[in-house]
Amino acid sequence: MSATNQKQGTVITLQHKSEILENNPLGDKFIRDLIVYLPPDYDEEKFYPSVYVLTGFTGRGKMMLNDSAFTPNFAERMDNLINQGKIKPMIAVLPDCFTHYGGSQYINSTATGNYEDYLVKEIVPFVDETFQTIKDKNSRAVMGKSSGGYGALIMALRHADLFGLACSTSGDAYFEHCYLQDIPKAFRAIKGDPSKLIEKFWNEDAKKGKDDFSGLNMIGMSSCYSPKNAEFDLPFDLETGEIRADVWEKWLAHDPVRLVEKSVESLKSLKLLYIDAGTKDEFALDLGARIFCKKLRDFDIPHIHEEFDDGHFNISYRQNRSLELISQYFESV
Amino acid sequence: MSATNQKQGTVITLQHKSEILENNPLGDKFIRDLIVYLPPDYDEEKFYPSVYVLTGFTGRGKMMLNDSAFTPNFAERMDNLINQGKIKPMIAVLPDCFTHYGGSQYINSTATGNYEDYLVKEIVPFVDETFQTIKDKNSRAVMGKSSGGYGALIMALRHADLFGLACSTSGDAYFEHCYLQDIPKAFRAIKGDPSKLIEKFWNEDAKKGKDDFSGLNMIGMSSCYSPKNAEFDLPFDLETGEIRADVWEKWLAHDPVRLVEKSVESLKSLKLLYIDAGTKDEFALDLGARIFCKKLRDFDIPHIHEEFDDGHFNISYRQNRSLELISQYFESV
Amino acid sequence: MSATNQKQGTVITLQHKSEILENNPLGDKFIRDLIVYLPPDYDEEKFYPSVYVLTGFTGRGKMMLNDSAFTPNFAERMDNLINQGKIKPMIAVLPDCFTHYGGSQYINSTATGNYEDYLVKEIVPFVDETFQTIKDKNSRAVMGKSSGGYGALIMALRHADLFGLACSTSGDAYFEHCYLQDIPKAFRAIKGDPSKLIEKFWNEDAKKGKDDFSGLNMIGMSSCYSPKNAEFDLPFDLETGEIRADVWEKWLAHDPVRLVEKSVESLKSLKLLYIDAGTKDEFALDLGARIFCKKLRDFDIPHIHEEFDDGHFNISYRQNRSLELISQYFESV
Amino acid sequence: MSATNQKQGTVITLQHKSEILENNPLGDKFIRDLIVYLPPDYDEEKFYPSVYVLTGFTGRGKMMLNDSAFTPNFAERMDNLINQGKIKPMIAVLPDCFTHYGGSQYINSTATGNYEDYLVKEIVPFVDETFQTIKDKNSRAVMGKSSGGYGALIMALRHADLFGLACSTSGDAYFEHCYLQDIPKAFRAIKGDPSKLIEKFWNEDAKKGKDDFSGLNMIGMSSCYSPKNAEFDLPFDLETGEIRADVWEKWLAHDPVRLVEKSVESLKSLKLLYIDAGTKDEFALDLGARIFCKKLRDFDIPHIHEEFDDGHFNISYRQNRSLELISQYFESV
């Protein structure tokens, strides 16, 4: 309820029909809301840099507009930063890559759909056609937290031709620390039958316990990292909880820490690569960030690494830091 | 992401300018969003019963439209219930009674503003003028959870002429159990200076600890129950934590449990008085509900009392039960 | 496993047969272990000051000798302090005032037995007869933590003629804060039948939940504060959880905060009255200590009040501070 | 405080001077308490079977005699079981294999000392010389919980010629699940300097946080599994938290799950191999037990596998089940 004598941007919700997501294996919607934030005084004669903001697991773009008592939502945050002169006017895009299993990790999977393609081949071109964006990688950034931070790293690793700036906050990395700890909990929540747990989440009346979220997370990640046609393999034995080495190998092939060496030139081409995480991160993603940045240093890849004194949750205020860096590193217009 | 071959209602956000809230002591906004849900196939030729839905502390109407992965928001919930034939088409009103201190308890206070008047003297007439409501108390219901459940009880106790049906889920009651336990935590969070804690909540970067929410709650309640002109008294000594008997007395004068005897005829006039709470409620509001219902029984006031196996948080699915009862008890049209 | 080239005291376990506890209503043992610590080089020709150390709820003297990996037990602690010259050689007495309900609060009760008499009329004389104590109140101290701190306060309030020095760490005080918060939890654990919960505690195989300890505590305190012949009244209604004002009144009559005014001269006669508590005490006993000390100040009763940065549990290291003060304030011999 | 008209066994505390532990690298004591429980009516003319009971990390034999309000200590438990006829009279041995780092895992290590040798080459012969034991592997059992359960498995794997019966409750197994989850916490607690954390544990006044126990555990296990002369390697990089593959490999060489294949004939020679764990074990040792038992099945090794509905802590009541099985499987005398 702060005084609001400031100029407000415009939030537009478009219905985008995806060809790539049509016939996705989960039967998830292929016509989706695409949220676009246009800065105050948006001028159809001008061109603006753009930033794509990716949500974490179980999130989608729309949620960043949720109202909260003391915390600005994403649009209010943009208004604040622009009005205070902390960032340049820019267009922000909040895509929806949610799935029936809770998320897509922004990658292609035979079990969920081709969300990486969806983002880079459909959403980016569509936004560029529809809005006054500067159509240049050095004026196009991607950022996100948690699974959204993972998505930002994937864009940096594989689509540096599209996104010249990438910021990952608490992004999934070093899977031994961020995922293995969930296996025992997932084992208990899944009780031999992943489909029952998924049903439970889609049944509003069913009470969800703490382990259930670990179970959901494990299923969601499996559907992205170890799909098997339209199904998926869990990385552990349903009878004993023993890690399945063959499946785990597939997971590790998606670990940003392991992907650096394959994308050295791409990563070096970035104008900005920013990595941060909280030193109390419940999924040890601060260690993931340290290990990822160690690999970057090994290959002389320029980057900025920061830590902050907080955990994994309720840290949307960290978006300010990413947005300010992005604004600073954007090509001057 | 359920199939949505169902008819959708319409969500309207009106800007309502309040005379009653103008010049409120906290300088909070007096032009506020008023969210109104109109049922599918809303027909300007027909008339509909209406339900006012009150949010808990730190909430406001808009938040009930927040998007969530697995839980329908309020509008989606209404769509579901109406499409499934579980409730009659009705108009739902989601007012905003938030304040700088986190809430108003839907009562008048010299420290926050006259939110009780705002609701009954401005919002209800405004809604009745603007929409096709049935202008009769037996077609007008109020419901809410937590502080919103308290608000619903206050309406039942003092405005049964306006609201003929009231449903309180986990409503604040029996203050000894729901508030006293917060005093030690509030003592530690407030550290002798309530204003600093409030500042902390309005400073996004400041980290909030667990006790801080107890502190905020204690301040919020004090501003409603023990205002002192534009300021307020806390119910405990800032040096020792000792309960201030005089202030606590003022609080108890607002306890629904103590208000029953003053409103026996009003309460008896209600078509529906429904009280529920979870048997794991972190604020012992299931005990509050039991004690409140004991008072109702003492005065032969008809009511329905139910308990459910859950805590205080993440229980929006309980709205279904209230809405279904309300629908059932509305005058048939 | 520190080097132990230090002199060791002697721990003696005596079997003391109590006439006062014989025929106690709970059928608890009346022949009990009495643990006495004699300092290194204890000399039958000399006389030593003595300190009585009272355990918390569910404790008894013997437990202070329990072995622990990194923390000295009471005898090792005494050895350390004496060898380091931090305290004078003294005799320490560790009585057993445990009951079937978990404890006695060191007061007389028709429901548990006369443990206050047991301590002051039997144990003290017995120790004085058996060991080389200095038989003078100014060479006899009492100390304890939690319910043992309460016991120490009771001795200070009512038996200052016997104990001239008293130290209470986190002692039960200001019952509104330390006990009321337990009622909802106790309500849920007791489920209408206190005897079943007690059975559960005495059945090793039965799993105890967190609320169960609140239930046990509430029963234990009721047996001390609100006995009814050989039974007791709980301070809340078993059907609704409402506080029973008449029973609660009986409890408050035992609150140290309320007892100060009745014992002003006794308290003033003490050579040492030391009160401390941790500022994170889970039962808000730091607030209890502040309020108690405020009453002392109101009556100009000399005392030392300290706070430390810790909670209620695992704070046996605080015994050092009490023992050092006691040693310092003992009459020089 | 149950009635005790039952016969009591005798607890003897011997001082045993170890040649094997003399000059141990940590300077820990080599003259240690050895606790031996002799059954009621112990008859010097008769011979008794014996059971060695191994404590968990940070434990030592003496602690099993600690007094507790509602739970029998080990001697009382033996008395109860023998008096009730649930087990035969037997001698129980409670050794002390504690170290400055918290424990020895009952194996030889250049960093802590040769505790495996100590147990099998010194303690067992010493007990057999000193007491009326039946000197036969089929009348000698070993049991333990947590690290003590690990110790029991090590005895079964490598010393089946000495111990013909072995019971492991929640024994450390499948190190990926039971230890890896501790690395991030240990990383934060150790802060680059393991010796400082150890100092903190030996400084009674220093407050220990929750992560500190993970750090201690990681140090303790490193000193046993990956010693480097008198020092040890931690299994993670102190700068980034990355797992050190070479060190981790050394750990896995000590994992019971990996040791089965090397000891198939030994394991098959056992009269009793009993494995249990709680299905809420905080270190996932129920999964460890399942995986271990899967390996046993793969090699047709007879065993009994049970699960119980509890966690890792406060489960000493499970000793009854092990003791009863041991009694049942002992050679009849």
Side-chain angles (χ1 to χ4, degrees):
Chain A
M1 283 200 152
S2 49
T4 49
N5 291 331
Q6 60 181 20
K7 292 179 179 175
Q8 283 183 280
T10 307
V11 173
I12 295 175
T13 302
L14 295 162
Q15 295 285 313
H16 173 268
K17 180 172 173 177
S18 166
E19 286 178 30
I20 290 169
L21 296 187
E22 204 169 351
N23 301 317
N24 69 72
L26 289 168
D28 283 324
K29 286 195 293 190
F30 61 96
I31 303 173
R32 297 191 175 211
D33 289 345
L34 179 69
I35 315 282
V36 178
Y37 168 89
L38 303 178
D41 302 325
Y42 179 71
D43 183 343
E44 291 284 354
E45 306 290 308
K46 289 191 186 161
F47 291 90
Y48 299 88
S50 59
V51 57
Y52 290 71
V53 191
L54 310 183
T55 60
F57 190 62
T58 74
R60 55 188 164 226
K62 211 188 325 184
M63 283 181 208
M64 278 192 267
L65 302 179
N66 280 353
D67 187 40
S68 173
F70 301 107
T71 308
N73 69 19
F74 185 77
E76 293 160 347
R77 182 179 307 284
M78 290 297 287
D79 288 349
N80 292 343
L81 291 171
I82 292 171
N83 276 280
Q84 293 162 16
K86 291 188 175 163
I87 64 169
K88 301 172 194 164
M90 60 179 81
I91 292 168
V93 184
L94 315 184
D96 172 357
C97 296
F98 186 63
T99 74
H100 186 70
Y101 293 144
S104 66
Q105 296 296 91
Y106 306 95
I107 64 176
N108 296 338
S109 158
T110 55
T112 60
N114 291 336
Y115 286 88
E116 186 169 341
D117 289 351
Y118 169 64
L119 189 56
V120 302
K121 295 187 182 164
E122 284 193 332
I123 297 299
V124 172
F126 175 76
V127 166
D128 279 353
E129 279 162 34
T130 316
F131 299 98
Q132 294 297 95
T133 55
I134 302 171
K135 281 123 195 92
D136 180 85
K137 67 174 181 169
N138 289 335
S139 293
R140 192 183 297 109
V142 61
M143 63 181 268
K145 183 209 133 184
S146 195
S147 286
Y150 176 83
L153 291 181
I154 290 297
M155 296 302 130
L157 286 157
R158 294 207 281 252
H159 304 287
D161 54 321
L162 211 56
F163 297 101
L165 306 88
C167 297
S168 171
T169 296
S170 316
D172 298 16
Y174 202 66
F175 290 1
E176 287 89 340
H177 287 341
C178 68
Y179 296 137
L180 281 188
Q181 59 167 305
D182 264 346
I183 289 185
K185 295 172 201 162
F187 177 86
R188 286 166 190 166
I190 289 173
K191 294 181 190 117
D193 187 349
S195 64
K196 280 229 181 90
L197 183 64
I198 293 296
E199 269 173 47
K200 192 173 174 180
F201 272 92
W202 286 104
N203 172 6
E204 198 199 358
D205 292 342
K207 270 186 295 177
K208 271 68 86 178
K210 216 186 166 194
D211 286 349
D212 288 340
F213 291 92
S214 299
L216 178 71
N217 199 45
M218 197 56 63
I219 290 169
M221 297 305 125
S222 295
S223 70
C224 301
Y225 299 147
S226 50
K228 198 163 131 187
N229 302 320
E231 305 288 316
F232 57 84
D233 283 322
L234 286 166
F236 59 89
D237 184 273
L238 285 170
E239 288 297 319
T240 62
E242 188 172 4
I243 296 170
R244 291 176 58 182
D246 55 331
V247 180
W248 185 242
E249 212 53 48
K250 288 184 193 169
W251 282 48
L252 291 183
H254 291 282
D255 187 345
V257 162
R258 273 83 180 182
L259 293 172
V260 168
E261 58 182 309
K262 299 182 184 168
S263 301
V264 173
E265 291 318 305
S266 276
L267 292 169
K268 284 190 172 171
S269 77
L270 294 168
K271 273 186 81 81
L272 170 67
L273 177 56
Y274 174 66
I275 315 288
D276 66 346
T279 53
K280 292 170 185 156
D281 193 285
E282 286 84 352
F283 303 96
L285 293 169
D286 51 331
L287 275 61
R290 283 182 170 228
I291 298 166
F292 183 78
C293 291
K294 173 70 168 53
K295 306 293 171 196
L296 296 179
R297 284 200 304 278
D298 289 348
F299 289 97
D300 290 321
I301 297 163
H303 66 280
I304 302 172
H305 176 215
E306 290 179 357
E307 293 188 337
F308 51 89
D309 177 23
D310 213 330
H312 191 74
F313 301 102
N314 300 318
I315 54 169
S316 58
Y317 66 92
R318 290 297 305 177
Q319 294 176 330
N320 291 12
R321 178 69 180 140
S322 284
L323 287 164
E324 286 165 19
L325 278 171
I326 284 168
S327 174
Q328 185 184 326
Y329 279 78
F330 268 147
E331 289 284 318
S332 25
V333 196
Chain B
M1 283 199 148
S2 49
T4 50
N5 291 330
Q6 58 180 21
K7 292 180 179 174
Q8 283 183 281
T10 307
V11 173
I12 295 175
T13 301
L14 295 163
Q15 296 283 315
H16 173 269
K17 179 171 173 177
S18 166
E19 285 180 29
I20 288 169
L21 297 187
E22 205 169 350
N23 302 316
N24 68 73
L26 289 168
D28 283 323
K29 286 195 293 190
F30 62 95
I31 302 173
R32 297 192 174 209
D33 289 344
L34 179 69
I35 315 283
V36 178
Y37 169 89
L38 303 178
D41 302 325
Y42 179 71
D43 182 345
E44 291 283 355
E45 306 290 307
K46 289 191 187 162
F47 291 91
Y48 298 88
S50 58
V51 57
Y52 290 72
V53 190
L54 310 182
T55 60
F57 190 62
T58 74
R60 55 187 165 226
K62 211 187 329 184
M63 283 180 208
M64 278 192 266
L65 301 180
N66 280 354
D67 187 40
S68 174
F70 301 106
T71 308
N73 70 18
F74 186 76
E76 293 161 347
R77 183 180 304 284
M78 291 297 287
D79 287 350
N80 293 342
L81 291 172
I82 292 171
N83 276 279
Q84 294 163 16
K86 291 188 176 165
I87 64 169
K88 300 172 193 165
M90 59 179 84
I91 292 168
V93 183
L94 315 184
D96 172 358
C97 296
F98 187 63
T99 74
H100 186 71
Y101 293 144
S104 65
Q105 297 297 90
Y106 307 94
I107 63 176
N108 295 337
S109 158
T110 55
T112 60
N114 291 336
Y115 286 87
E116 187 170 340
D117 290 351
Y118 169 62
L119 189 55
V120 303
K121 296 187 180 164
E122 285 193 331
I123 295 299
V124 172
F126 176 76
V127 167
D128 279 353
E129 279 162 33
T130 314
F131 299 98
Q132 295 296 96
T133 54
I134 302 171
K135 280 122 195 98
D136 179 84
K137 66 174 180 170
N138 289 336
S139 295
R140 194 183 294 110
V142 61
M143 62 180 270
K145 184 211 132 185
S146 196
S147 286
Y150 176 83
L153 291 181
I154 290 297
M155 295 303 130
L157 286 157
R158 294 206 281 252
H159 304 286
D161 54 320
L162 210 56
F163 297 101
L165 305 88
C167 296
S168 170
T169 295
S170 314
D172 299 17
Y174 202 66
F175 289 2
E176 287 88 340
H177 286 342
C178 69
Y179 295 138
L180 281 187
Q181 60 168 303
D182 264 347
I183 288 185
K185 298 172 199 162
F187 177 85
R188 285 164 191 167
I190 289 173
K191 292 177 191 124
D193 187 348
S195 63
K196 281 229 179 91
L197 183 64
I198 292 297
E199 269 174 46
K200 192 173 174 180
F201 273 90
W202 286 104
N203 172 6
E204 199 199 358
D205 293 342
K207 271 186 295 178
K208 270 69 86 179
K210 217 188 163 192
D211 285 350
D212 288 341
F213 291 91
S214 298
L216 178 72
N217 198 45
M218 198 55 64
I219 290 170
M221 296 306 125
S222 296
S223 70
C224 301
Y225 300 147
S226 50
K228 200 163 130 186
N229 303 320
E231 304 288 317
F232 57 84
D233 284 322
L234 286 165
F236 59 88
D237 184 273
L238 285 169
E239 288 297 320
T240 62
E242 188 173 4
I243 296 170
R244 292 176 57 183
D246 55 331
V247 180
W248 185 241
E249 211 54 49
K250 288 184 192 169
W251 281 48
L252 291 184
H254 291 282
D255 187 345
V257 162
R258 273 84 180 182
L259 293 172
V260 168
E261 58 182 309
K262 298 181 183 167
S263 301
V264 173
E265 291 317 307
S266 276
L267 292 169
K268 284 189 173 173
S269 78
L270 293 169
K271 272 186 82 79
L272 170 67
L273 176 56
Y274 174 65
I275 315 287
D276 66 346
T279 53
K280 293 171 184 157
D281 193 284
E282 287 84 352
F283 303 97
L285 294 169
D286 51 331
L287 275 62
R290 283 182 169 228
I291 298 166
F292 183 76
C293 291
K294 174 69 167 54
K295 305 294 171 197
L296 296 179
R297 285 199 303 279
D298 289 347
F299 290 98
D300 289 320
I301 296 164
H303 65 282
I304 302 172
H305 176 216
E306 290 179 356
E307 294 189 336
F308 50 90
D309 178 24
D310 213 330
H312 192 73
F313 302 102
N314 301 317
I315 54 169
S316 58
Y317 67 91
R318 289 298 304 177
Q319 293 177 329
N320 291 13
R321 178 69 180 141
S322 285
L323 287 164
E324 286 165 19
L325 279 171
I326 284 169
S327 174
Q328 185 183 326
Y329 279 77
F330 269 146
E331 288 284 319
S332 28
V333 197
Chain C
M1 284 200 148
S2 48
T4 48
N5 291 331
Q6 60 180 19
K7 293 179 179 174
Q8 284 183 280
T10 307
V11 172
I12 295 175
T13 301
L14 296 162
Q15 296 284 315
H16 172 269
K17 180 172 172 177
S18 166
E19 286 178 31
I20 289 169
L21 296 188
E22 204 168 352
N23 302 316
N24 69 73
L26 289 168
D28 284 324
K29 288 196 292 190
F30 62 94
I31 303 173
R32 298 192 173 208
D33 289 345
L34 179 69
I35 315 283
V36 178
Y37 169 90
L38 302 178
D41 301 325
Y42 178 71
D43 182 345
E44 292 283 355
E45 307 289 308
K46 290 191 186 161
F47 291 90
Y48 299 87
S50 59
V51 56
Y52 289 71
V53 190
L54 310 183
T55 60
F57 190 63
T58 74
R60 55 188 165 224
K62 210 188 328 183
M63 284 181 207
M64 279 191 267
L65 302 179
N66 280 353
D67 186 40
S68 173
F70 302 106
T71 308
N73 70 18
F74 185 78
E76 294 161 345
R77 182 180 306 286
M78 290 298 287
D79 287 349
N80 292 343
L81 291 171
I82 292 171
N83 276 281
Q84 293 161 16
K86 291 189 176 163
I87 64 169
K88 300 172 194 165
M90 59 179 83
I91 293 169
V93 184
L94 315 184
D96 172 358
C97 297
F98 186 64
T99 73
H100 187 70
Y101 293 144
S104 66
Q105 297 296 92
Y106 306 94
I107 63 177
N108 296 337
S109 157
T110 56
T112 61
N114 291 337
Y115 287 87
E116 187 169 339
D117 289 352
Y118 169 63
L119 189 55
V120 303
K121 296 187 182 165
E122 285 194 332
I123 297 299
V124 172
F126 176 77
V127 167
D128 278 354
E129 280 161 32
T130 315
F131 299 98
Q132 294 296 94
T133 55
I134 303 170
K135 281 123 194 94
D136 179 85
K137 66 173 181 171
N138 289 336
S139 294
R140 193 184 296 109
V142 61
M143 63 180 268
K145 183 211 134 185
S146 195
S147 286
Y150 176 84
L153 291 181
I154 291 296
M155 295 303 129
L157 286 157
R158 295 207 280 253
H159 304 287
D161 54 321
L162 211 56
F163 298 101
L165 306 88
C167 297
S168 170
T169 295
S170 316
D172 299 16
Y174 202 66
F175 290 1
E176 288 89 339
H177 287 341
C178 68
Y179 295 138
L180 281 188
Q181 59 167 308
D182 264 347
I183 289 186
K185 295 172 200 162
F187 176 85
R188 285 164 191 166
I190 289 173
K191 293 181 191 118
D193 187 348
S195 64
K196 281 229 180 91
L197 183 64
I198 292 297
E199 270 173 46
K200 192 173 174 179
F201 272 91
W202 285 104
N203 172 6
E204 197 198 0
D205 294 342
K207 270 186 295 177
K208 271 67 88 180
K210 216 186 166 193
D211 285 349
D212 288 341
F213 291 91
S214 299
L216 178 71
N217 198 45
M218 196 57 62
I219 290 169
M221 297 306 126
S222 295
S223 70
C224 301
Y225 300 147
S226 48
K228 199 164 130 187
N229 303 320
E231 306 286 319
F232 57 84
D233 284 321
L234 287 166
F236 58 89
D237 184 273
L238 285 170
E239 288 296 320
T240 63
E242 188 172 4
I243 296 169
R244 290 176 58 182
D246 56 332
V247 180
W248 185 242
E249 211 54 47
K250 289 183 193 169
W251 282 48
L252 291 184
H254 291 282
D255 186 345
V257 162
R258 272 84 181 183
L259 293 172
V260 168
E261 59 182 308
K262 298 181 183 167
S263 302
V264 172
E265 290 318 306
S266 276
L267 292 169
K268 283 190 173 172
S269 77
L270 294 168
K271 273 186 81 80
L272 170 66
L273 176 56
Y274 173 65
I275 314 288
D276 66 346
T279 53
K280 292 171 184 157
D281 192 284
E282 286 83 353
F283 303 96
L285 293 169
D286 52 330
L287 275 62
R290 284 183 170 227
I291 297 166
F292 183 77
C293 291
K294 173 71 168 53
K295 305 293 171 197
L296 296 179
R297 286 199 302 279
D298 290 348
F299 289 98
D300 289 320
I301 297 164
H303 65 282
I304 302 173
H305 176 215
E306 291 179 356
E307 294 188 336
F308 51 89
D309 177 25
D310 213 331
H312 191 74
F313 302 102
N314 301 317
I315 54 169
S316 58
Y317 66 91
R318 290 299 303 178
Q319 293 176 330
N320 292 13
R321 178 69 180 141
S322 285
L323 287 164
E324 286 165 19
L325 278 171
I326 284 168
S327 174
Q328 184 183 327
Y329 279 78
F330 267 146
E331 289 283 320
S332 28
V333 196
Chain D
M1 284 198 147
S2 49
T4 50
N5 291 332
Q6 59 180 20
K7 293 179 178 173
Q8 283 183 281
T10 308
V11 172
I12 294 175
T13 301
L14 296 162
Q15 296 284 315
H16 173 268
K17 179 171 174 178
S18 167
E19 287 179 30
I20 289 170
L21 296 188
E22 205 169 350
N23 302 316
N24 69 73
L26 289 168
D28 283 324
K29 287 195 292 191
F30 62 95
I31 303 173
R32 296 190 176 211
D33 289 344
L34 179 69
I35 315 283
V36 178
Y37 168 90
L38 302 178
D41 301 325
Y42 179 72
D43 182 344
E44 292 284 355
E45 306 290 307
K46 288 191 187 161
F47 291 90
Y48 299 87
S50 59
V51 57
Y52 289 72
V53 191
L54 310 182
T55 60
F57 190 62
T58 74
R60 56 188 163 226
K62 211 188 327 184
M63 284 181 207
M64 279 191 266
L65 301 179
N66 280 353
D67 186 40
S68 174
F70 301 106
T71 307
N73 70 17
F74 186 78
E76 293 161 345
R77 182 180 305 284
M78 290 298 286
D79 288 349
N80 292 342
L81 291 171
I82 292 171
N83 277 279
Q84 295 161 15
K86 292 189 176 164
I87 64 170
K88 301 171 193 164
M90 59 179 82
I91 293 169
V93 184
L94 315 184
D96 172 357
C97 296
F98 187 64
T99 74
H100 186 71
Y101 293 144
S104 66
Q105 297 298 91
Y106 307 94
I107 63 176
N108 295 337
S109 158
T110 56
T112 60
N114 291 338
Y115 286 87
E116 188 170 340
D117 288 352
Y118 169 63
L119 189 55
V120 302
K121 296 187 182 166
E122 284 193 332
I123 296 299
V124 172
F126 175 77
V127 167
D128 279 352
E129 279 162 34
T130 314
F131 299 97
Q132 294 297 94
T133 55
I134 302 170
K135 282 126 195 92
D136 179 84
K137 65 173 181 170
N138 290 335
S139 294
R140 193 183 294 108
V142 62
M143 62 180 270
K145 185 210 132 185
S146 195
S147 287
Y150 175 84
L153 291 181
I154 290 298
M155 295 303 130
L157 286 157
R158 294 206 281 253
H159 304 286
D161 54 321
L162 211 55
F163 297 101
L165 305 87
C167 297
S168 170
T169 295
S170 316
D172 299 16
Y174 202 66
F175 290 2
E176 288 89 339
H177 287 341
C178 69
Y179 295 138
L180 282 188
Q181 59 167 305
D182 263 347
I183 289 185
K185 296 172 201 164
F187 176 86
R188 286 166 190 164
I190 289 173
K191 294 182 190 117
D193 187 349
S195 64
K196 282 229 179 89
L197 182 64
I198 293 297
E199 270 174 46
K200 191 173 175 180
F201 273 91
W202 286 104
N203 173 5
E204 198 199 0
D205 293 342
K207 270 185 297 177
K208 271 67 86 179
K210 217 187 164 192
D211 285 350
D212 288 341
F213 291 91
S214 298
L216 178 72
N217 198 46
M218 196 57 64
I219 290 169
M221 297 306 124
S222 296
S223 70
C224 301
Y225 300 146
S226 48
K228 199 165 131 185
N229 302 320
E231 306 287 317
F232 57 84
D233 283 322
L234 287 166
F236 59 89
D237 185 272
L238 285 169
E239 287 298 319
T240 63
E242 188 172 4
I243 295 170
R244 291 177 58 182
D246 56 332
V247 181
W248 185 242
E249 212 53 48
K250 288 184 193 170
W251 282 48
L252 291 184
H254 290 282
D255 188 344
V257 163
R258 273 84 181 183
L259 293 172
V260 168
E261 59 182 308
K262 298 181 183 168
S263 302
V264 172
E265 291 317 307
S266 276
L267 292 169
K268 284 189 174 174
S269 77
L270 294 169
K271 272 186 83 77
L272 170 67
L273 177 55
Y274 174 66
I275 315 287
D276 66 346
T279 52
K280 291 170 184 157
D281 192 284
E282 287 82 353
F283 302 96
L285 294 169
D286 51 331
L287 275 62
R290 283 182 169 229
I291 298 165
F292 183 76
C293 291
K294 174 70 168 54
K295 306 294 172 196
L296 297 179
R297 284 199 304 278
D298 290 348
F299 290 97
D300 289 320
I301 297 164
H303 65 282
I304 301 173
H305 175 215
E306 291 179 356
E307 294 189 335
F308 51 89
D309 177 24
D310 212 331
H312 192 74
F313 302 102
N314 301 317
I315 54 170
S316 58
Y317 65 91
R318 290 298 303 178
Q319 294 176 331
N320 292 13
R321 178 70 180 140
S322 285
L323 288 164
E324 287 165 18
L325 279 171
I326 284 168
S327 174
Q328 184 184 326
Y329 279 78
F330 270 146
E331 290 283 319
S332 27
V333 196

